[in-house]
Amino acid sequence: MTLPVMTVSLLMTSPVVSVTAETTLDDAYRMLVERRISAVPVLASDGRPVGVLSETDLLRVGRMQPLSLAGLRVLDVPAEPVGQHMHRGITTVRGDTPVTTAARLLLEQHIHRVYVAEEGQLAGVFGIHEVLVAVREKRIDRPVGEVMTTPVYT
């Protein structure tokens, strides 16, 4: 008896929040903070995914402001469109892709997430967090140190 394969559609986060290439960096930054997410796909005017904007991209072009009275640090980003700072291209998988295949893509491409596409539309996001959930669900006892690679990519 073979066990059923765990697919990305079982663990992906949905719906996908996105921006356009014309969205301002400040609006994209605000969206990331408010939704507590680390990246958004960038869509063309016809809805096709054309890139990804991540917190790392914003940190590269922004400046941290001094602490506010509430003790918060705010990132000041240029008044420029997302399209000037996004990573072009996007890695997608289908919903029926096995979790192990998606996890391998994350490792091989040194990325933190893949997007799940169904019928040309983004249906979900599958990332590092979901990989950890899969490991917990499968109750994998093997120590991570036995399977991790060096150097560690963050």
Side-chain angles (χ1 to χ4, degrees), residues 2 4 6 15 21 34 37 58 77 101 103 105 110 119 133-134 136 141:
T2 53
M6 186 180 289
E34 288 171 0
I37 55 177
L58 293 173
V77 294
T101 302
L105 269 174
H110 308 289
E119 299 177 16
V133 169
R136 185 184 68 224
D141 295 341

Side-chain angles (χ1 to χ4, degrees), residues 133-149:
V133 169
V135 168
R136 185 184 68 224
E137 289 296 315
K138 290 290 187 178
R139 293 176 174 76
I140 298 173
D141 295 341
R142 192 171 175 191
V144 173
E146 289 181 15
V147 294
M148 68 183 219
T149 61

Side-chain angles (χ1 to χ4, degrees), residues 1 17 19 26 28 34 42 45 49-50 63 67 71 94 105 112 124 127:
M1 178 175 154
V17 177
V19 297
D26 190 55
E34 288 171 0
V42 182
S45 57
V50 294
R63 289 193 167 144
L67 290 175
R94 293 176 18 158
L105 269 174
H112 296 269

Side-chain angles (χ1 to χ4, degrees), residues 27-47:
D27 286 345
Y29 170 58
R30 206 170 311 117
M31 181 184 293
L32 293 178
V33 170
E34 288 171 0
R35 297 194 180 250
R36 295 182 178 180
I37 55 177
S38 60
V40 288
V42 182
L43 305 181
S45 57
D46 63 1

Side-chain angles (χ1 to χ4, degrees), residues 89-103:
I90 186 168
T91 302
T92 60
V93 297
R94 293 176 18 158
D96 60 357
T97 301
V99 166
T100 52
T101 302

Side-chain angles (χ1 to χ4, degrees), residues 10-11 14-15 17 20 22-23 32 66 73-74 76 80 89 94 97 102 114 120-121 127 130 133 138 149:
L10 296 172
L11 299 174
S14 184
V17 177
T20 67
E22 293 77 31
T23 302
L32 293 178
R73 294 199 86 157
V74 177
D76 185 29
E80 297 173 351
R94 293 176 18 158
T97 301
V114 292
Q121 299 295 313
E130 288 75 21
V133 169
K138 290 290 187 178
T149 61

